[in-house]
Amino acid sequence: MKRFMLVVAVLTCTVVLSAGEITYTPDNTTIFKNPERGFTEELNGKVTVKSPYRVKNHIDSNWGKRDCMTMPVVLYNFGNFKSQDLPSEILNGFDEDMQELRNLGLKCVLRFAYTERESDIVDATPDWVKRHLEQLKSHLAANADVIYVLEAGFVGVWGEWYYSQNYGNETQHVTANRRKVIQYLFANTPADMFILFRYPMIQQEYLNDVTPLTPTEGFSGTEKARMGCHNDAFLHNWGNMGTYASDDKDDDPAMRQYVAAQTLYVPNGGETNIDDDDALAQQRYTQAPSEMATYHWSFCGSTYAEPVTNRWRSSGLFDTLNIHMGYRYNLLDAQFSDEAAPAGKMNVTIRVRNVGYAPIYNERTAYIVLQSSTKTYKLPLASDPRRWLPNGVITWINEQVDIPSDVPEGTYHLYLYMPDKYSSIAADPRYAVRFANVSVWDANTGYNDLGTTVTISNSAPLNPGPLPEGLEETEQAQLKPKKVVENGIFYILMPNGKKYYCI
């Protein structure tokens, strides 16, 4: 916690920029669409051969406009097929649903279940879960581009790993049957797909590991690095209805610390669950910003449960959460080479601040775009956006990019571009990341205007010289500024020795 308080202190400083640097105006009030974050609405129901869809015919281009939503939660209830193969109509219907998401520029939080009432706890056996996942395997792979995360599902009512005939109600423990389902999930899903589990203790018991992910383990593709969280009892009592429970505590501070650390590298989201007659609901709903920031929420249901979400709307908290949920990047300032040579290098120094509650989790490359009236070139940056830490942390991108040898001489405007990694939707600007700044976003291209140009010239040096002195882009460096008071003057001392005075 001290780390985040210190970062906030950095943000209150006024930094005097050197000549040649460009400054940008942050926009911390506008609510706009960005992929893989924000409020959600659930599309659920029992599918049949005649009615296999949960997306197609259920949403259109107006879906989520009011709240700038980009992700429905899509829940397929396979209750009609608990002990038989999924018919081709269901599998084809799933593909058509995912195509409809592409048509609309959306992704989904995906879940499968077998029951939807507490009076019906008869779910499918592990063998049938295995069979259904084997049938779904190729379809999940083919549609991974529009699946933000897969919630573990299958077990219990609503796929929430509770109220279950075949898997029991011990939410905090991994039974033999539950372990099988986890293994089947990993065996039949794409290697880069996050799987979110309802209770973090399930992760710990399955892995036999109570330590959260380290920076090295994060985004490594291991099973541990793919196990995220979904909390479908956000702000409820009893440790969010068992979310933060351990063997001896309903609400264990150690489990909370585990989730807070883990979710710097794996997604977390869900929905609220407070009843109308809950005496503490009025008090608890105001805790949402601090809770979401601590546990790095990237998505949350916009309606369920109304005792909380309605209060968020009436109080203005809904907009606050909508602005900060997930990632939200401000361009602060930047410096670039004035000229560069074909087959040479260009210096790029950019400061980005993530004022969101979470990182971006799925792999994504940031590009510097060079654009003239006739030519466009996309130059990849080495900096990994997944490691642009949240809650106000400033990341320095300080590197040299390679200029292609075939770039014609001329003046090129510079943009920052973060498209989706999947070629199927990479060219669609609706899936590109918009930065929260005044007058930088181009909705037609998905580019963020850096407000400057570079001259490409054969007479320019191949090597532009050393990069400006700046903060190294490492998590260790990002989180170790020091607060200093000297002769009554307060400043922040950065790891590289630079001082930022607070005025």
Side-chain angles (χ1 to χ4, degrees), residues 213-418:
L213 287 159
T214 65
T216 301
E217 291 175 315
F219 310 118
S220 63
T222 64
E223 289 187 353
K224 181 178 180 179
R226 292 177 58 197
M227 297 181 80
C229 310
H230 73 94
N231 177 354
D232 285 355
F234 183 50
L235 301 179
H236 203 284
N237 52 12
W238 305 313
N240 289 198
M241 295 188 76
T243 300
Y244 300 115
S246 64
D247 282 336
D248 58 348
K249 295 179 181 177
D250 287 335
D251 194 343
D252 189 346
M255 191 64 74
R256 285 182 174 269
Q257 292 170 10
Y258 172 83
V259 174
Q262 188 83 348
T263 51
L264 280 174
Y265 308 103
V266 293
N268 185 22
E271 62 187 15
T272 70
N273 185 6
I274 294 181
D275 301 325
D276 287 297
D277 59 354
D278 189 327
L280 294 177
Q282 183 65 35
Q283 301 172 35
R284 280 204 194 93
Y285 87 96
T286 62
Q287 298 172 5
S290 61
E291 291 267 323
M292 285 191 175
T294 299
Y295 304 110
H296 309 114
W297 278 58
S298 65
F299 67 94
C300 183
S302 64
T303 54
Y304 190 82
E306 287 82 357
V308 175
T309 58
N310 287 346
R311 288 191 179 100
W312 285 347
R313 290 186 186 275
S314 63
S315 69
L317 264 182
F318 191 93
D319 286 352
T320 297
L321 300 176
N322 207 358
I323 288 169
H324 294 284
M325 205 183 311
Y327 60 88
R328 187 179 176 102
Y329 301 130
N330 295 147
L331 288 168
L332 297 182
D333 44 67
Q335 188 172 349
F336 305 94
S337 300
D338 294 327
E339 61 176 0
K345 295 183 181 296
M346 180 177 72
N347 285 350
V348 173
T349 300
I350 307 173
R351 286 199 312 153
V352 174
R353 176 173 58 199
N354 184 357
V355 296
Y357 296 144
I360 197 168
Y361 293 101
N362 286 320
E363 182 182 355
R364 190 176 284 254
T365 299
Y367 296 87
I368 297 296
V369 176
L370 278 61
Q371 188 173 68
S372 70
S373 59
T374 58
K375 298 285 187 178
T376 299
Y377 297 88
K378 300 178 180 70
L379 315 180
L381 292 169
S383 182
D384 188 344
R386 296 175 297 181
R387 300 193 183 263
W388 299 355
L389 297 181
N391 293 310
V393 171
I394 298 172
T395 296
W396 289 65
I397 302 167
N398 201 30
E399 55 187 86
Q400 293 184 326
V401 297
D402 294 322
I403 305 295
S405 60
D406 61 346
V407 178
E409 289 187 305
T411 299
Y412 292 79
H413 201 91
L414 298 184
Y415 300 89
L416 184 59
Y417 180 43
M418 288 174 56

Side-chain angles (χ1 to χ4, degrees), residues 72-203:
V73 175
V74 182
L75 197 166
Y76 293 88
N77 184 332
F78 291 156
N80 291 315
F81 310 101
K82 294 178 185 178
S83 57
Q84 57 181 292
D85 277 357
L86 298 174
S88 59
E89 289 87 348
I90 297 297
L91 299 172
N92 294 335
F94 173 76
D95 290 337
E96 291 181 46
D97 272 356
M98 296 301 103
Q99 181 57 47
E100 188 66 13
L101 291 178
R102 286 186 203 92
N103 296 342
L104 296 171
L106 305 174
K107 296 198 176 194
C108 71
V109 174
L110 180 63
R111 191 195 301 181
F112 302 101
Y114 296 101
T115 65
E116 59 185 4
R117 299 188 311 275
E118 294 176 20
S119 59
D120 175 15
I121 63 170
V122 182
D123 38 22
T125 64
D127 286 344
W128 276 110
V129 171
K130 179 183 180 184
R131 173 58 184 159
H132 290 161
L133 273 167
E134 288 171 345
Q135 288 186 275
L136 288 164
K137 183 175 182 176
S138 63
H139 300 269
L140 292 172
N143 295 290
D145 57 340
V146 290
I147 300 171
Y148 171 49
V149 293
L150 174 67
E151 294 181 342
F154 292 102
V155 173
V157 178
W158 308 294
E160 291 186 2
W161 290 56
Y162 201 77
Y163 301 118
S164 167
Q165 172 179 280
N166 291 304
Y167 304 91
N169 292 342
E170 293 216 55
T171 58
Q172 292 83 28
H173 295 284
V174 178
T175 62
N177 279 352
R178 290 180 179 215
R179 182 172 293 277
K180 289 178 181 178
V181 170
I182 297 172
Q183 291 169 340
Y184 302 153
L185 283 164
F186 280 121
N188 292 284
T189 53
D192 60 350
M193 185 174 288
F194 289 104
I195 303 173
L196 274 52
F197 291 85
R198 176 65 188 87
Y199 303 97
M201 195 167 181
I202 288 176
Q203 301 174 38

